[in-house]
Amino acid sequence: MMQTRPKGTAGIIGTALLVLTIFVLAGCGGDRPAQAPAQPAAEAAAEAAEPAMPEYADGIYFAQEADFSERSGWKYMVTLVVEGGRIVDAEWNGAHRGSGTDKLTRDRDGEYGMKENSSAQWHWYEQAEATVAYLLETQDTSLVSADAISGATITVDPLFTLAEKALAQGPSGYGPWRDGYYTAGLDRYSATGWKDTVGVTVVAGRIVAVNWDALAEEGGTNKKQLSMDGEYGMYGDGPAQWPWWEQAQAAERHLLETQDLDNLVTDAVSGATIRLGGFESVVKAALADARR
């Protein structure tokens, strides 16, 4: 006898097979990690075109301008600290031809007066710090306009130019001296009635400005200014080819270039015929306790 299926059996079997198939497929795919949505082509292209941040050797970097400005008497220097290949700290500072405290210190002490004597809304040191913050954020030493730095109205080129110069030179470390302004003078006047004095400015451990002069026993104008005014009389009255103030500045430049306190002799300074013993004595006295 032919057997017959109960009514609806085919539908039940089909449903069961469908559920089983879904269960098997779900089980096979359960071990596969979920795939992230595809990155838009435009976004991927933009990331690929973005330049990589430069990396530098860790260390202390330093650079300064070659000479003091004829107009203002200032020259600038930059110190960078690199860690993990990135610039993590920086200082933009200045030193004056006449020595004295560095520009940051002078401005913080209210002795520079840019804000008080101009339309500037910020002090120089505040604008310098804002410019340094921009450099640390961007890690970019390319020249920018002050307009790109909120609140800055000063010329910011020296920071970026010197930062690039310092990085190109490589790490140099700090110099041997503690930062500050140091002065000294001889204890007594010479037989000719003069007493040598000196002011030395140190930034990043380096001598960045020095001013050698002499006080007159009878008072009045110092020797350097008298010589600049043509009233000292050494030039033209003997074998000297330069007036005293020019020879003094040659000795100062020699010290700035060599950073060597033990080589301050006349023969080592091009063009100098004056005695440099007084200069050597006061410089060594000024820096006697300044070693790091």
Side-chain angles (χ1 to χ4, degrees):
M1 174 182 289
M2 182 180 295
Q3 296 181 346
T4 60
R5 294 177 179 173
K7 186 178 179 181
T9 301
I12 294 171
I13 293 173
T15 301
L17 289 172
L18 178 60
V19 171
L20 180 61
T21 301
I22 294 173
F23 177 77
V24 170
L25 291 174
C28 292
D31 293 335
R32 297 178 182 175
Q35 294 184 352
Q39 186 181 30
E43 184 179 337
E47 287 187 3
E50 185 175 329
M53 284 286 187
E55 289 195 5
Y56 309 102
D58 289 1
I60 308 300
Y61 295 73
F62 177 83
Q64 62 180 318
E65 291 179 325
D67 207 350
F68 300 95
S69 165
E70 288 295 330
R71 183 179 62 84
S72 69
W74 289 95
K75 73 173 178 180
Y76 291 110
M77 61 277 318
V78 165
T79 309
L80 306 175
V81 180
V82 174
E83 294 178 359
R86 292 176 58 82
I87 305 169
V88 297
D89 197 10
E91 181 184 84
W92 176 20
N93 208 340
H96 197 270
R97 177 188 291 111
S99 192
T101 54
D102 61 86
K103 193 167 189 176
L104 286 174
T105 300
R106 194 174 300 194
D107 197 29
R108 288 177 180 134
D109 291 345
E111 298 174 1
Y112 184 58
M114 185 186 75
K115 180 179 179 181
E116 293 79 4
N117 300 315
S118 71
S119 60
Q121 296 183 351
W122 290 9
H123 294 286
W124 186 88
Y125 79 87
E126 293 174 315
Q127 299 192 47
E129 290 174 349
T131 310
V132 164
Y134 175 90
L135 172 63
L136 297 181
E137 180 182 354
T138 63
Q139 299 288 302
D140 187 358
T141 60
S142 303
L143 292 178
V144 297
S145 167
D147 295 339
I149 301 166
S150 178
T153 57
I154 59 176
T155 301
V156 299
D157 291 4
L159 169 62
F160 298 99
T161 301
L162 290 171
E164 193 162 292
K165 178 181 177 181
L167 292 168
Q169 293 174 167
S172 58
Y174 290 112
W177 316 103
R178 293 194 307 273
D179 288 5
Y181 174 51
Y182 301 90
T183 63
L186 294 181
D187 294 333
R188 58 180 66 120
Y189 293 94
S190 68
T192 57
W194 295 99
K195 181 168 69 174
D196 291 289
T197 65
V198 76
V200 181
T201 308
V202 176
V203 172
R206 294 168 175 82
I207 300 170
V208 294
V210 56
N211 182 26
W212 176 30
D213 208 339
L215 304 177
E217 187 173 12
E218 61 187 21
T221 307
N222 294 353
K223 183 187 280 190
K224 184 175 279 185
Q225 189 60 54
L226 276 178
S227 180
M228 294 175 75
D229 293 341
E231 298 177 8
Y232 178 55
M234 184 187 78
Y235 182 66
D237 293 340
Q241 296 181 358
W242 295 359
W244 188 91
W245 70 271
E246 289 187 4
Q247 297 195 48
Q249 287 192 346
E252 294 165 359
R253 284 194 300 272
H254 177 77
L255 176 57
L256 295 178
E257 292 169 2
T258 65
Q259 302 285 303
D260 185 359
L261 306 191
D262 295 320
N263 193 29
L264 302 178
V265 293
T266 301
D267 292 343
V269 179
S270 177
T273 57
I274 58 176
R275 295 178 180 178
L276 300 180
F279 179 50
E280 180 179 11
S281 296
V282 290
V283 168
K284 287 184 174 180
L287 297 175
D289 299 319
R291 287 276 181 184
R292 286 184 181 275

